[in-house]
């Protein structure tokens, strides 16, 4: 609910369990009042009146100088602000008050936004919203607050869209140049956020290729902590989400935790500043590094969303809200009878570039036998792509690999009862390709300067419309010609030497180009599913998730490494999008041996896939695979649609224990993997969560055997017995069913 008090000019945004409020001050500035959990017992009539808020709106002065920690809803460069800002603008023309004939000495870089009205609507959309509808499409109340810099007729609309059931607010801005001269936006966040003093513990993730999503928890300094990527993909080194709380006052299931995510897949930045006065503010949006956005007279720009919220049930509560929001409001609603993710087979680790019709058919038959539902051919099927050094850009089936085209393989896959998928990497080109030979100028580079190749490839210049059009035509043709149900959309290098016809706007233009390509392909091929992959987990964010169905979190499929990767991933993203493969041992990169049970127990925590060399497995092993896959199909509705509880972290407990539970408490999945066992230490059972206290549950293993029976109360107090003394390598997954 959005409420406006016209006497005090106070806005209250009321969500299911949280509130957010701000007020227009006597000079017309929009100033933040507060954000947090709603007090117990509060109802819709309980609001902040705005009559007692003067102290919140005032400057603090120190030593006679205004420190200006004023909590503007959008912190702009200008006025007396010396801190981080969300918006910095360069006005090229003279202010309205200055005679036009008076020469402009320099562009003015001072923005002072003043309230010019507001509107509550139900149909507003952030910038770069996908055109494919998510599962829930009912309109949500959105507050539009019109702010103006009167000197320049520069209009900024502050937008707040509410998803009350998940305590989520989406913040974004719309900028309009209503003046007569060009405006250059130099810094642009989608919104500024203010946290209560003392909320100085930040949880985020960091990593590299094959070690993405490592959880890190730290104390914010006085100064600015920056999470960012300077790229055209989301990046491996960190990911655009955060959790913030008071140190030692939040844990997995307790404490107030603020959370946020960006719905954007390139050049992003989240800057969190703690001022010397202990005010804490956050700016999330485009990275100002090499950034520029020009607005000609009458032009406007709408930013994507900064998605944020607050939970009073700890990091777990914050994660569950982000998961539910993503499932309901972000992920595309699939156009088929089931929305559960299929079990996938992909031969990348098994065959690499060594593809052949016969080899793929052999794998497909084995895959179908063990219960796989989607068979995906990875890299190497097209153009001159026999290794990673040629062919990218030539999206035509290679007669060297498939002499009769893809039809016979697809027909075989279909006759085996599976769907067919294909790998593509549309944003890239190898210099050794027909596309590059035809258009050597279609790549990011600064003319006359050296340029860097990575994995022998260059990035196509999506600043050129003709490039996006050419790639669209090639992919659209492929999808029209063949019955392809699934694309694995890869992106394997960072952008360097970002010279483009679009100038500095290339960072944004690239993301726009990718989104536009996917949106149009999905419109033309409505039953198509897409997996976002970027050399592993380099493109996972709410922007790409609006147009893809699942993601590849990492090229590292080692079961033990994967526990940490998946845990960090789970802080923000739901299990249903987390593609997780069982692969061969020793694992391709780490060379570690891990039992098949551990590999399955870890992979079954997400959208299960198989990447093993199936034709090297004997019948007993294949039967084991089949047994696990059949079990996964019995529990996947809980994993993919249920609520996640991280019952124990490997780091602190020596075992990773997670639970997925249906909201109606009828079923759950319990999963434990032991990774460390210090002699002399004792590992107590972990109590389960959110079961029916009075209900009786049976715990069933993958063979359908009941291994334990207890009341919900006992399971939520004593946990599952039998795991305490187990050693490294022990794991199991149990289906918890109410009887
Ligand atoms: C990187 C991906 O993450 C892998 O799974 C695989 O598809 C390769 N690219 C293919 O080049």
């Amino acid at each position: 609910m959005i409420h406006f008090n016209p006497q005090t000019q106070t806005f209250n945004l009321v969500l299911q369990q949280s509130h957010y409020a701000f007020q227009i001050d006597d000079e017309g500035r929009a100033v933040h009042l507060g954000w947090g959990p709603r007090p117990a017992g509060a109802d819709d009539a309980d609001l902040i009146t705005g009559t007692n808020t003067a102290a919140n709106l005032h400057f603090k002065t120190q030593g006679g100088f205004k420190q200006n920690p004023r909590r503007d809803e959008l912190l702009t460069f200008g006025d007396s602000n010396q801190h981080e800002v969300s918006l910095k603008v360069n006005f090229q023309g003279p202010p309205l008050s200055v005679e036009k004939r008076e020469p402009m000495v320099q562009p003015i870089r001072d923005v002072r936004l003043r309230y010019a009205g507001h509107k509550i609507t139900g149909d507003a959309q952030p910038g770069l919203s996908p055109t494919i509808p998510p599962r829930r499409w009912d309109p949500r109340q959105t507050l539009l607050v019109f702010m103006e810099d009167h000197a320049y007729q520069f209009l900024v609309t502050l937008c707040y869209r509410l998803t009350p059931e998940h305590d989520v607010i989406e913040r974004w801005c719309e900028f309009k140049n209503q003046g007569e001269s060009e405006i250059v936006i130099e810094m642009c966040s989608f919104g500024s956020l203010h946290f209560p003093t003392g909320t100085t513990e930040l949880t985020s993730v960091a990593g590299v290729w094959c070690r993405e999503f490592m959880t890190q928890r730290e104390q914010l300094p006085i100064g600015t902590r920056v999470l960012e990527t300077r790229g055209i993909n989301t990046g491996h080194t960190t990911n655009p989400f955060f959790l913030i709380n008071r140190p030692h006052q939040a844990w997995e299931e307790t404490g107030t935790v603020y959370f946020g995510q960006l719905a954007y897949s390139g050049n992003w930045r989240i800057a969190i500043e703690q001022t010397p006065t202990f005010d804490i503010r956050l700016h999330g949006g485009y990275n100002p590094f090499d950034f520029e956005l020009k607005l000609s007279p009458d032009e406007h720009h709408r930013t994507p969303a900064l998605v944020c919220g607050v939970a009073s049930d700890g990091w777990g509560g914050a994660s569950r809200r982000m998961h539910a929001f993503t499932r309901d409001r972000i992920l595309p609603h699939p156009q088929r009878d089931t929305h559960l993710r299929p079990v996938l087979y992909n031969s990348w680790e098994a065959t690499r570039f060594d593809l052949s019709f016969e080899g793929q058919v052999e794998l497909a038959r084995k895959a179908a036998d063990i219960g796989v539902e989607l068979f995906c051919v990875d890299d190497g099927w097209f153009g001159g792509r026999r290794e990673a050094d040629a062919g990218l850009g030539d999206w035509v089936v290679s007669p060297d690999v498939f002499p009769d085209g893809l039809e016979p393989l697809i027909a075989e896959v279909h006759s085996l009862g599976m769907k067919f998928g294909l790998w593509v990497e549309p944003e890239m080109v190898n210099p050794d390709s027909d596309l590059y030979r035809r258009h050597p100028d279609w790549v990011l580079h600064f003319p006359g300067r050296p340029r860097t190749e990575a994995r022998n490839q260059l990035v196509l210049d999506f600043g050129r419309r003709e490039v996006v059009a050419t790639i669209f035509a090639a992919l659209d043709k492929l999808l029209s010609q063949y019955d392809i149900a699934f694309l694995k959309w890869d992106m394997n290098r960072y952008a360097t030497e970002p010279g483009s016809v679009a100038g500095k706007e290339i960072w944004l233009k690239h993301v726009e180009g990718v989104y536009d390509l996917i949106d149009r392909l999905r419109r033309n091929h409505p039953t198509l599913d897409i997996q976002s992959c970027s050399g592993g987990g380099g493109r996972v964010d709410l922007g790409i998730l609006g147009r893809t169905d699942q993601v590849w979190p990492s090229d590292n499929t080692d079961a033990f490494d994967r526990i940490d990767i998946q845990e960090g991933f789970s802080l923000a993203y739901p299990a249903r999008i987390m593609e997780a493969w069982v692969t061969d041992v020793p694992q391709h990169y780490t060379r570690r041996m891990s039992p098949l049970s551990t590999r399955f127990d870890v992979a079954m925590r997400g959208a299960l896939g198989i990447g093993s060399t199936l034709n090297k497995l004997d019948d007993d092993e294949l039967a084991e695979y089949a047994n696990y896959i059949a079990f996964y199909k019995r529990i996947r509705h809980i994993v993919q649609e249920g609520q996640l509880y991280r019952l124990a972290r490997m780091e602190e407990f020596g075992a990773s224990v997670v639970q997925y539970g249906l909201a109606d408490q009828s079923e759950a999945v319990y999963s434990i993997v032991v990774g460390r066992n210090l002699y002399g230490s004792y590992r107590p059972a972990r109590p389960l969560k959110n079961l029916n206290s009075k209900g009786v549950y049976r715990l069933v293993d993958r063979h359908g055997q009941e291994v334990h029976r207890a009341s919900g109360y006992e399971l939520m107090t004593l946990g599952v017995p039998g795991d305490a003394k187990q050693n490294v390598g022990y794991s199991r997954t149990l289906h918890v069913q109410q009887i």
Side-chain angles (χ1 to χ4, degrees):
M1 182 194 68
I2 297 169
H3 183 270
F4 178 64
N5 180 335
Q7 272 79 47
T8 60
Q9 307 227 86
T10 302
F11 292 94
N12 277 270
L13 314 185
V14 181
L15 301 106
Q16 199 165 75
Q17 293 179 35
S18 57
H19 79 94
Y20 186 105
F22 62 97
Q23 187 169 16
I24 308 301
D25 76 0
D26 47 10
E27 289 188 40
R29 293 176 289 229
V31 185
H32 186 76
L33 288 178
W35 179 29
R38 295 204 88 201
D43 62 30
D44 281 1
D46 293 321
L47 300 168
I48 292 168
T49 59
T51 42
N52 307 308
T53 49
N56 295 38
L57 304 178
H58 281 170
F59 287 81
K60 290 178 197 157
T61 47
Q62 216 171 40
F65 190 76
K66 287 176 177 171
Q67 290 287 321
N68 197 357
R70 201 185 51 239
R71 302 193 294 167
D72 292 2
E73 280 292 291
L74 192 73
L75 289 155
T76 60
F77 183 91
D79 205 324
S80 58
N81 195 355
Q82 293 180 299
H83 299 295
E84 290 283 341
V85 296
S86 282
L87 180 66
K88 181 161 184 261
V89 169
N90 215 316
F91 296 106
Q92 306 292 316
L96 296 176
S97 56
V98 175
E99 285 291 318
K100 288 222 173 96
R101 58 193 142 72
E102 191 178 317
M104 269 285 280
V105 182
Q106 56 175 357
I108 305 295
R109 308 185 306 281
D110 182 45
V111 181
R112 293 175 194 238
L113 298 176
R114 298 295 180 263
Y115 176 69
H118 73 272
K119 186 172 148 191
I120 297 171
T121 170
D123 53 7
Q125 296 281 336
L128 297 183
S129 288
T131 52
I132 330 127
R135 191 179 294 183
R136 281 195 59 187
W137 194 237
D138 47 304
R140 280 163 286 173
Q141 263 203 324
T142 308
L143 171 64
L144 310 177
V145 182
F146 307 114
M147 306 289 293
E148 202 166 1
D149 186 305
H150 299 300
Y152 281 96
Q153 293 192 322
F154 176 52
L155 182 72
V156 178
T157 308
L158 308 180
C159 309
Y160 304 76
R161 181 163 70 174
L162 271 54
T163 309
E165 65 275 25
H166 303 318
D167 290 298
V168 163
I169 301 174
E170 285 163 277
R171 297 275 314 265
W172 71 91
C173 294
E174 184 155 349
F175 306 105
K176 183 150 195 222
N177 181 358
Q178 302 189 127
E180 290 171 0
S181 322
E182 186 180 71
I183 289 175
V184 179
I185 299 181
E186 295 179 346
M187 284 179 90
C188 174
S189 285
F190 311 157
S192 315
L193 299 175
H194 300 271
F195 302 102
T197 301
T199 43
T200 54
E201 186 173 67
L202 167 70
T203 305
S204 63
V205 290
V208 290
W209 173 73
C210 267
R211 195 166 54 81
E212 298 90 337
F213 293 102
M214 295 294 114
T215 306
Q216 54 181 9
R217 209 151 262 152
E218 66 196 292
Q219 178 76 30
L220 289 172
I222 301 285
T224 303
R225 170 76 169 96
V226 172
L227 308 171
E228 65 173 345
T229 187
R230 297 177 172 191
I232 53 173
N233 60 342
T234 326
H236 291 81
T237 51
T238 178
N239 188 272
F241 76 82
F242 62 85
L243 296 99
I244 293 182
N245 53 269
R246 284 177 190 278
H248 314 301
Q249 291 191 28
W251 203 243
E252 261 308 312
E253 297 300 329
T254 54
T256 298
V257 175
Y258 293 84
F259 58 89
Q261 295 175 271
L262 296 178
Y264 183 60
S265 311
N267 74 313
W268 62 269
R269 179 180 190 251
I270 294 173
I272 310 151
E273 182 178 24
Q274 183 173 205
T275 68
T277 49
F278 306 113
D279 292 272
I280 304 169
R281 34 302 256 283
L282 180 146
H283 312 266
Y286 302 129
N287 196 324
F289 170 78
D290 199 37
F291 180 79
E292 187 175 83
L293 191 63
K294 290 186 179 137
L295 290 186
S296 304
D298 268 342
E299 243 192 305
H300 73 281
H301 177 80
R302 206 174 342 139
T303 73
L306 163 61
V307 176
C308 58
V310 57
S312 47
D313 42 356
W315 300 313
S319 298
R320 285 189 291 278
R321 281 173 179 77
M322 288 188 261
H323 297 172
F325 177 77
T326 305
R327 282 194 303 247
D328 284 0
R329 300 292 189 168
I330 297 283
L331 291 170
H333 188 46
Q335 310 240 333
R336 54 191 137 65
D337 44 353
T338 169
H339 53 259
L340 295 177
R341 299 305 309 149
V343 178
L344 169 152
Y345 180 77
N346 180 301
S347 67
W348 173 246
E349 282 199 23
T351 62
R352 309 284 288 191
F353 289 102
D354 189 14
L355 297 186
S356 69
F357 171 72
E358 293 74 20
Q360 292 295 303
V361 166
E362 191 187 355
L363 288 169
R365 289 185 182 147
K366 301 254 177 194
D369 280 350
I370 59 173
V372 165
E373 298 158 311
L374 169 63
F375 184 83
C376 181
V377 173
D378 211 279
D379 199 350
W381 56 269
F382 54 93
R385 187 79 166 171
R386 303 293 76 76
E387 260 306 328
D389 56 357
L392 281 179
D394 301 337
W395 301 110
V396 284
V397 180
S398 164
D400 298 340
V401 185
F402 298 108
D404 302 314
L406 281 178
E407 280 100 344
L409 177 60
I410 296 177
E412 178 72 18
V413 167
H414 286 167
S415 74
L416 292 165
M418 296 182 294
K419 290 194 167 157
F420 182 78
L422 203 58
W423 178 96
V424 288
E425 192 177 0
E427 299 144 71
M428 301 291 159
V429 66
N430 286 122
D432 184 1
S433 68
D434 293 342
L435 182 68
Y436 183 82
R437 281 183 279 276
R438 277 200 306 277
H439 302 287
D441 53 335
W442 276 13
V443 295
L444 294 184
H445 71 295
F446 292 112
R449 311 283 297 175
R451 56 175 199 206
T452 309
E453 286 178 22
R455 215 186 182 218
N456 314 299
Q457 63 199 56
L458 298 164
V459 184
L460 287 169
D461 180 3
F462 275 21
R464 292 174 182 265
R465 296 173 72 98
E466 64 275 26
V467 174
V468 180
T470 303
I471 298 300
F472 174 77
L475 295 179
D476 190 51
K477 188 171 169 201
L478 196 67
L479 293 168
S480 306
Q481 190 176 352
Y482 298 109
D483 191 352
I484 296 170
F486 175 87
L487 283 184
K488 176 174 171 181
W489 187 293
D490 208 343
M491 198 280 196
N492 278 302
R493 66 156 291 180
Y494 292 111
T496 55
E497 299 105 4
S500 160
V501 293
K504 288 185 181 175
E505 290 189 14
I506 184 56
W507 304 106
L508 180 54
K509 285 273 176 281
H510 188 91
V511 179
E512 284 174 354
V514 172
Y515 287 178
D516 175 55
L517 269 180
I518 301 182
D519 287 352
R520 282 195 288 149
L521 288 172
R522 290 193 78 129
R523 262 203 313 276
N524 283 5
H525 309 277
T527 55
L528 178 72
D529 277 7
I530 300 182
Q531 170 170 295
S532 170
C533 170
S534 179
R539 188 149 59 197
V540 184
D541 61 82
L542 293 188
I544 201 71
L545 286 173
R547 52 261 298 167
T548 55
D549 304 87
Q550 63 186 44
V551 299
W552 183 227
S554 179
D555 276 347
N556 187 344
T557 57
D558 179 292
F560 286 100
D561 284 6
R562 195 80 180 194
I563 287 172
D564 293 334
I565 293 169
Q566 294 185 175
E567 185 181 279
F569 184 97
S570 81
L571 290 171
Y573 301 107
R576 67 168 289 123
I577 66 162
M578 185 175 74
E579 178 72 15
W581 298 351
V582 170
T583 55
D584 295 336
V585 283
Q587 200 276 339
H588 192 77
Y589 297 110
T590 65
R591 310 310 298 161
R592 183 169 13 204
M593 302 294 296
S594 38
L596 186 66
S597 52
T598 313
R599 283 178 274 152
F600 265 103
D601 285 325
V602 173
M604 289 193 300
R605 292 176 171 190
L608 177 66
I610 308 292
S612 313
T613 316
L614 295 179
N615 44 9
K616 288 209 182 125
L617 300 180
D618 63 29
D619 287 350
D620 289 348
E621 286 168 311
L622 287 170
E624 282 289 90
Y625 274 67
N627 177 282
Y628 274 111
I629 291 173
F631 177 55
Y632 178 72
K633 288 178 183 170
R634 296 199 291 277
I635 59 168
R636 74 173 145 186
H637 63 288
I638 311 166
V639 174
Q640 295 184 13
E641 295 290 286
Q643 298 167 333
L644 168 71
Y645 295 88
R646 290 178 291 260
L647 301 182
R649 297 188 66 198
M650 186 70 89
E651 194 180 285
E652 65 207 14
F653 195 64
S656 158
V657 190
V658 300
Q659 176 193 334
Y660 298 92
L662 293 185
D664 68 4
Q665 304 177 326
S666 61
E667 288 179 278
V669 170
Y670 166 86
S671 165
I672 178 167
V673 180
V674 177
R676 187 164 42 97
N677 206 37
L678 280 181
Y679 190 74
S681 64
Y682 173 67
R683 188 185 320 108
R686 302 302 287 180
L688 271 58
K689 302 282 179 197
N690 196 31
L691 298 176
N692 173 3
S693 177
K694 301 215 172 341
V696 176
Y697 292 84
R698 59 190 210 117
L699 278 61
V700 177
D701 70 10
R702 68 182 171 103
H703 303 291
Q705 297 297 316
E706 181 175 319
V707 297
H708 186 59
R709 183 179 284 230
S711 68
Y713 183 78
E714 251 179 43
L715 290 169
M716 290 191 291
T717 49
L718 299 180
V720 181
D723 295 331
K725 291 202 186 126
Q726 301 297 340
N727 218 324
V728 178
Y730 169 82
S731 68
R732 65 172 172 167
T733 304
L734 298 174
H735 186 179
V736 182
Q737 305 165 326
Q738 190 173 6
I739 49 178

